[in-house]
Amino acid sequence: YSMIDDLSFLLNSLPPYNGTASFGNVALPSIVPVVSGVPPSPACGPGIASPCTVFAPQGVQPNAKTPAVNEWNFTVERQLNTQTSFSLAYVGSFGYHGLISIDPNSIPARICSNPRGCVAGGVGSVRSRVPEGASYIPVGSRPNPYLSGGFFWYTEGNSSYNALQTNVTRRLTHHLEFRANYTWSKNLDINSALTGAQATNEAQMVLNRNNLSADWGPSALNAEHQASLSAHYELPFGRGNILGGWQLNGIATLLSGFPVTPQVGSNRSGDGDTRNPDRPSYNPAFTGPIVEGNPNQWFNPDAFVLPAAGTYGNVGRGVLTGPGLAELDVSLFKNVALTERVHLQIRSEFFNALNHPNFATPNTIVFSGTQVSSTAGLITSTATTSRQIQFGMKLIF
């Protein structure tokens, strides 16, 4: 079980003491500068004359439940010889009542029951007509028209993790020791990025608060394949004299890419949840691979189209895979015995020794307005640094 704490992020913006206000089509000089001691206009509501303040509500589900995770594992270990052991494990877990980010003041979707179709568009300025039986956002205002989009944490999230884990360990023998491991896993949840700063590869809000299953997919931190190898080798020459004491070390790390969720870049559905730039739909006329693997355009934006105004796109969460990671760190140590209890270690360390570029998350926004964005899929940074070399000395006593 997990305590529901650290909630100040969403509880420090509550009116009337510290409310977050939302302004639209208002001249900036009319609201700044803020003068100390002068209260803002009263909160908008029934019978409140203009000007009034439209607050952006934030908070936590009032009847929040305790988040919990069930965990299980099964491991088989085998000694291969006197120096080497091997383990094979299945590890799983299932979490429930996890925190997810929801806008409770967004317009809920409906199913069109009119044989002649229904007008969709929500609070947006663009309209479309959907056929009978289709899900759509009806034209209208938010459930509470006196408030803007909300940002709340609800304890309605589920998560699951299943993994095959292998490990080989060799103890120091004949100057060599190493450890190698590999994990094949799948991490699923409904919402990973509770705030926009936590993950750039998906939106921070669930798409449809009344259909959480539409967001069930790969977690933002899911890496399907993970492997690492660490080794330590004591060079055999010069043992017992000034030429000896050399030690070579290495760590190799390999990870497959994190999931990437394409986003429209605007509230195309018109449900009012402006923190969640809706997902697009697949282009039925597109053929070929969607992920191209080029840092200038990691995925092909032509694979997607804008959904009809007032509707959600059919692209799922985490459907694309971002860049993987491969890095080799190497170090060379020289140990010098100064006295029986004091040793000097001279160190040279090479991080990302092969200078391999590990790219960060591509730009997930596919459209700029109604046109394909020129930066869709563009990668502008790396996840690791270029080759770094450092030298140092350590006195061990």
Side-chain angles (χ1 to χ4, degrees):
Y1 297 96
S2 174
M3 295 178 61
I4 306 180
D5 53 3
D6 297 326
L7 299 179
S8 61
F9 177 80
L10 284 184
L11 297 180
N12 63 358
S13 298
L14 299 177
Y17 304 105
N18 193 31
T20 299
S22 175
F23 298 92
N25 299 320
V26 176
L28 187 62
S30 68
I31 58 177
V32 293
V34 177
V35 181
S36 177
V38 178
S41 302
C44 295
I48 304 298
S50 182
C52 59
T53 301
V54 178
F55 284 102
Q58 297 186 21
V60 179
Q61 182 180 357
N63 59 338
K65 303 175 179 63
T66 302
V69 177
N70 298 323
E71 300 176 330
W72 55 89
N73 68 83
F74 178 78
T75 306
V76 176
E77 297 184 66
R78 177 73 176 178
Q79 183 174 327
L80 302 181
N81 54 42
T82 56
Q83 298 84 28
T84 311
S85 62
F86 172 78
S87 68
L88 179 68
Y90 162 64
V91 177
S93 68
F94 183 81
Y96 51 96
H97 300 320
L99 291 175
I100 60 176
S101 297
I102 281 181
D103 178 4
N105 201 33
S106 59
I107 303 176
R110 295 180 184 175
I111 301 299
C112 179
S113 58
N114 189 339
R116 294 178 296 177
C118 303
V119 178
V123 297
S125 59
V126 183
R127 302 284 184 263
S128 70
R129 181 172 289 275
V130 299
E132 182 182 13
S135 175
Y136 75 107
I137 305 298
V139 175
S141 60
R142 297 180 177 91
N144 187 335
Y146 302 107
L147 296 173
S148 66
F151 184 11
F152 281 70
W153 283 344
Y154 277 51
T155 55
E156 297 181 0
N158 293 333
S159 63
S160 76
Y161 178 79
N162 292 277
L164 172 70
Q165 299 178 351
T166 62
N167 181 79
V168 178
T169 302
R170 172 192 166 100
R171 294 182 297 177
L172 183 62
T173 307
H174 301 298
H175 317 299
L176 173 68
E177 69 175 351
F178 68 83
R179 180 178 181 181
N181 58 68
Y182 167 72
T183 299
W184 177 35
S185 65
K186 178 172 286 188
N187 194 352
L188 302 171
D189 62 18
I190 294 175
N191 186 207
S192 303
L194 293 179
T195 68
Q198 289 180 316
T200 59
N201 53 336
E202 68 172 43
Q204 70 182 63
M205 314 288 281
V206 297
L207 181 66
N208 182 354
R209 62 185 173 93
N210 294 312
N211 183 18
L212 298 182
S213 62
D215 278 81
W216 179 257
S219 167
L221 50 85
N222 176 69
E224 185 176 0
H225 302 281
Q226 303 180 57
S228 66
L229 171 65
S230 59
H232 158 81
Y233 183 60
E234 297 179 353
L235 301 182
F237 57 83
R239 295 180 62 84
N241 57 54
I242 192 64
L243 298 178
W246 292 95
Q247 174 184 324
L248 181 64
N249 312 283
I251 301 176
T253 304
L254 301 170
L255 281 85
S256 58
F258 291 120
V260 174
T261 303
Q263 300 173 39
V264 167
S266 63
N267 188 220
R268 180 71 174 177
S269 65
D271 65 357
D273 184 1
T274 55
R275 286 186 174 87
N276 188 15
D278 300 342
R279 299 196 289 264
S281 292
Y282 287 110
N283 182 357
F286 178 82
T287 59
I290 299 179
V291 176
E292 298 180 337
N294 187 328
N296 294 318
Q297 190 178 79
W298 187 258
F299 60 85
N300 192 333
D302 293 333
F304 308 103
V305 294
L306 279 173
T311 65
Y312 296 119
N314 59 17
V315 170
R317 175 171 162 261
V319 294
L320 305 181
T321 301
L325 182 146
E327 181 162 316
L328 175 65
D329 300 327
V330 179
S331 62
L332 181 65
F333 297 168
K334 165 68 172 174
N335 296 301
V336 180
L338 301 180
T339 67
E340 184 177 348
R341 295 186 176 183
V342 180
H343 291 74
L344 178 67
Q345 186 179 81
I346 304 173
R347 306 163 62 98
S348 56
E349 297 166 299
F350 304 81
F351 302 98
N352 193 8
L354 301 180
N355 204 30
H356 178 75
N358 293 302
F359 297 109
T361 302
N363 178 25
T364 60
I365 305 302
V366 180
F367 294 95
S368 176
T370 58
Q371 303 298 317
V372 172
S373 172
S374 60
T375 60
L378 175 66
I379 298 178
T380 58
S381 62
T382 56
T384 60
T385 62
S386 57
R387 182 190 296 118
Q388 303 286 314
I389 303 174
Q390 69 179 25
F391 302 95
M393 290 190 297
K394 178 186 289 188
L395 191 64
I396 304 172
F397 57 91

